[in-house]
Amino acid sequence: MSDTGKPIPVTGDKHVLFAYVLGILGVVGFGATLPATRIALADFTPEFLTFARAAIATAMAAAVLLWYRKPLRHSHNFQIFLAGTFLIFGFPGFMSVAMQTVPAAYGGVVLGFLPLTTAIIARLLTEEKPSGLFWILSISGCVIVTGYILAKAGPDTTSGDWPGYGWLVLAGLTASVGYVIFGKLSRKTAGWEIISRSLVLNMPLTIIGLIWFFDRSFVDPSMPGLSALLYLGSVSMFLAFCAWNAALAMGGIARIGQLQLLQVFVTIALSALLLAEHLDVLTIAAATLITIVIAASRKV
């Protein structure tokens, strides 16, 4: 990254390799979001957690923009603000609510449809045009994910788990739209600058929400809860997005978007490690099938 804030041009194999490295770093950063959210929910409410993590990321973003002396005015401020609203409040807000009833490992598999929905939305909002076979594979992936949700919820559609899975679906859709907008804008403006601007532009909403949902019981959180909150704000909300936006811009939204399948495995591994969650055969099978589908879609 240059001091002017614009992506350093990379060509050929180095271009692709650098895009994938950044993409993987972003996915690894995102991967711990679900288990970290469940840990933080022991000390904070979903509503406060959503705005608190945004406040931490906004402080980092403002510091970076000031360091590079970037003016707040930008020709695409409305799009940046809108995408930021989806990713800063929509995605983590829906996810926090979902994590109250859905195990983090299962949530990670459900969010495996993100690469597919991102590619579809990229087709609608950008010039990227995947082949017909790509869409067949995409539909197959969605069917697998839907089947997994139905199997986990069981025959009783009034199960208490259903609302949680519904919130996860909404979280995935808002994230996909935000990723596409960020990826498109990051082709002309550095990825870190796009996420920084979106955080700062949404700062009034962040402050209002932080004050509105604050409770005195949040003043003395446990060390695990506080650590999880700091991770969500600094890594999930800011650093991972810096890498991810740059990767989408350099490698293509649909192609790099497929890397998010790795988030499923990162989430499952961390959930088992940090939360001692049980991994059943169905979860592993679903993750494997989705991997095959998306791996195949990258070659068409």
Side-chain angles (χ1 to χ4, degrees):
M1 191 70 64
S2 67
D3 290 339
T4 61
K6 295 183 178 180
I8 298 175
V10 189
T11 59
D13 293 338
K14 290 184 178 180
H15 183 119
V16 176
L17 177 60
F18 191 49
Y20 272 89
V21 169
L22 288 176
I24 290 173
L25 288 175
V27 168
V28 171
F30 294 143
T33 299
L34 291 175
T37 296
R38 286 185 66 84
I39 293 173
L41 285 172
D43 294 279
F44 308 103
T45 62
E47 297 80 8
F48 178 79
L49 185 60
T50 297
F51 291 97
R53 60 182 279 180
I56 294 171
T58 300
M60 296 177 65
V64 172
L65 289 176
L66 288 173
W67 177 267
Y68 284 105
R69 299 181 180 180
K70 293 291 182 180
L72 185 59
R73 187 174 182 179
H74 191 281
S75 58
H76 296 292
N77 266 350
F78 177 73
Q79 294 181 53
I80 295 174
F81 169 80
L82 184 63
T85 300
F86 286 148
L87 291 168
I88 297 169
F89 305 118
F91 174 64
F94 292 143
M95 186 180 65
S96 293
V97 174
M99 285 301 93
Q100 294 181 99
T101 57
V102 178
Y106 297 155
V109 175
V110 173
L111 290 179
F113 75 84
L114 267 177
L116 304 176
T117 54
T118 299
I120 293 172
I121 295 172
R123 173 63 182 86
L124 297 174
L125 301 182
T126 72
E127 73 284 356
E128 296 185 17
K129 298 180 179 180
S131 67
L133 181 56
F134 177 92
W135 297 121
I136 293 176
L137 291 169
S138 295
I139 293 173
S140 298
C142 288
V143 170
I144 293 172
V145 173
T146 301
Y148 173 81
I149 296 174
L150 292 174
K152 293 307 300 181
D156 183 6
T157 56
T158 62
S159 169
D161 286 340
W162 269 99
Y165 288 116
W167 289 120
L168 277 174
V169 171
L170 288 176
L173 290 176
T174 54
S176 293
V177 175
Y179 288 154
V180 172
I181 296 175
F182 272 175
K184 186 176 181 179
L185 293 175
S186 294
R187 293 172 181 172
K188 296 183 178 180
T189 304
W192 67 262
E193 186 177 339
I194 293 297
I195 184 60
S196 295
R197 288 182 177 279
S198 68
L199 286 162
V200 172
L201 288 172
N202 278 277
M203 184 166 58
L205 295 177
T206 299
I207 294 175
I208 292 173
L210 194 66
I211 296 174
W212 183 267
F213 293 109
F214 176 78
D215 187 272
R216 291 185 179 181
S217 63
F218 302 151
V219 175
D220 187 27
S222 67
M223 185 56 66
L226 179 60
S227 299
L229 172 58
L230 292 175
Y231 179 90
L232 291 171
S234 61
V235 179
S236 295
M237 184 66 73
F238 186 69
L239 296 177
F241 269 113
C242 291
W244 185 245
N245 286 353
L248 292 175
M250 290 191 295
I253 297 172
R255 181 169 61 177
I256 295 299
Q258 305 307 306
L259 285 176
Q260 270 211 306
L261 179 63
L262 295 174
Q263 183 173 336
V264 172
F265 301 103
V266 173
T267 299
I268 289 174
L270 291 176
S271 296
L273 179 65
L274 301 176
L275 304 175
E277 292 189 355
H278 174 67
L279 302 181
D280 57 17
V281 175
L282 180 61
T283 300
I284 297 174
T288 301
L289 287 175
I290 294 172
T291 300
I292 294 173
V293 169
I294 296 183
S297 70
R298 290 180 54 193
K299 299 182 180 296
V300 297

